[in-house]
Amino acid sequence: MIVLPVPAFIFTLVVLTAATRLGTTRFERLRAEADAAREEFRVIQAATLTLLGLIISFTFSMALDRYEERKAFESAESSAIATAYMRATLLPPADAARVRSLLVSYLEQRLTFYETRSLRTLAETHLATARIEGLLWEAVTVPAGQNPNSITALVVTSVNDVVRTQGDTHASWNNRVPFTAWMMMGSIAFFAMLLVGIGIQRPARFPQILGVLPLIIAIAFFLIADVESPRLGIISVVPDNLRELSGTLLHP
């Protein structure tokens, strides 16, 4: 399940603010116990907030690692396509021209994959990419079968790398923080905000300053969800390497 950045921010802010308000206006018995054991309560409150901060930091670190992985796979795709394009010259002229033309079309589809935000366009790109991969494989295996040697094997290996790196990219884009982890992190944040509210001594009304902490946590959740949404977030994987390669192949 994909957690979208803006809904995650709004939902987190509303729920955590409500939890803080609930803690300040309800649970009179718990508040009385907290007043009676103020030092012990502060230890529990601080430990809960510290644990929440550590979990958010760990989750953000995981999201950043996956973002860097997606960038690395984009670079690997560009390198694989460029290598296959150069090695295509090892084939007979007619086969080489066909392979190069297919690689240019394939590169255009890969750029669309990285840049589009339309799910319909994405589905069309997947179909077009699969079709071109089939044509590419046929374009190199037929001449390799007719003249099997180490030279044609290099071309076959290059096209195989093109297909493999594309699969690695798709796997990395589908690798996200599990929804169960989001639920557990949200639950800890909810109870932490309850403790913050309960810790307010005899509140006459809801202190507006208490809204700052839910806002900060909501921003942290937004940032994690944004990094985890390479297609729908603000922080996206920009295909600089593929764009540069496209300019080189189309305008040598």
Side-chain angles (χ1 to χ4, degrees):
M1 182 176 180
I2 300 176
V3 178
L4 300 178
V6 175
F9 173 78
I10 296 174
F11 180 79
T12 303
L13 180 61
V14 171
V15 171
L16 296 187
T17 302
T20 309
R21 182 183 292 272
L22 186 65
T24 59
T25 57
R26 298 291 187 270
F27 305 107
E28 287 80 2
R29 182 176 177 180
L30 287 178
R31 188 176 298 106
E33 293 180 0
D35 289 338
R38 176 58 49 183
E39 293 301 323
E40 291 81 355
F41 177 80
R42 287 177 177 174
V43 170
I44 296 174
Q45 187 183 66
T48 304
L49 291 172
T50 301
L51 176 62
L52 175 62
L54 289 174
I55 292 176
I56 290 176
S57 299
F58 179 71
T59 306
F60 181 64
S61 177
M62 290 173 56
L64 276 184
D65 288 342
R66 277 190 283 271
Y67 175 75
E68 293 298 330
E69 183 181 68
R70 296 180 189 114
K71 289 176 61 179
F73 282 136
E74 186 271 339
S75 178
E77 279 201 74
S78 175
S79 178
I81 295 172
T83 301
Y85 190 87
M86 289 186 294
R87 289 183 179 178
T89 57
L90 300 174
L91 297 174
D95 294 320
R98 185 187 179 199
V99 170
R100 285 190 160 190
S101 176
L102 288 171
L103 284 172
V104 170
S105 299
Y106 178 84
L107 176 57
E108 293 174 353
Q109 295 300 324
R110 297 310 299 154
L111 280 170
T112 302
F113 169 83
Y114 279 93
E115 294 173 346
T116 186
R117 290 177 177 262
S118 169
L119 296 180
R120 179 177 179 180
T121 302
L122 181 62
E124 294 172 352
T125 299
H126 284 322
L127 292 176
T129 300
R131 179 180 61 82
I132 296 174
E133 286 176 348
L135 294 174
L136 267 174
W137 195 247
E138 178 184 353
V140 295
T141 54
V142 171
Q146 295 172 349
N147 186 23
N149 54 55
S150 59
I151 301 299
T152 54
L154 281 175
V155 183
V156 174
T157 301
S158 298
V159 171
N160 180 70
D161 289 341
V162 169
V163 177
R164 178 183 55 79
T165 54
Q166 180 259 355
D168 291 339
T169 295
H170 284 204
S172 68
W173 281 50
N174 292 327
N175 184 19
R176 296 185 174 89
V177 174
F179 186 72
T180 304
W182 280 104
M183 293 295 295
M184 294 177 65
M185 187 166 58
S187 299
I188 294 174
F190 180 85
F191 287 111
M193 292 303 98
L194 272 180
L195 289 177
V196 169
I198 291 172
I200 302 300
Q201 296 179 338
R202 295 179 295 276
R205 58 186 179 84
F206 181 74
Q208 297 300 316
I209 191 65
L210 289 184
V212 174
L213 188 54
L215 177 61
I216 292 174
I217 297 175
I219 292 174
F221 277 41
F222 170 85
L223 186 58
I224 295 171
D226 192 82
V227 175
E228 283 284 281
S229 304
R231 192 178 309 282
L232 302 176
I234 299 173
I235 304 173
S236 60
V237 178
V238 181
D240 290 327
N241 297 286
L242 291 174
R243 288 175 181 172
E244 182 179 352
L245 178 61
S246 178
T248 301
L249 297 186
L250 296 178
H251 306 286

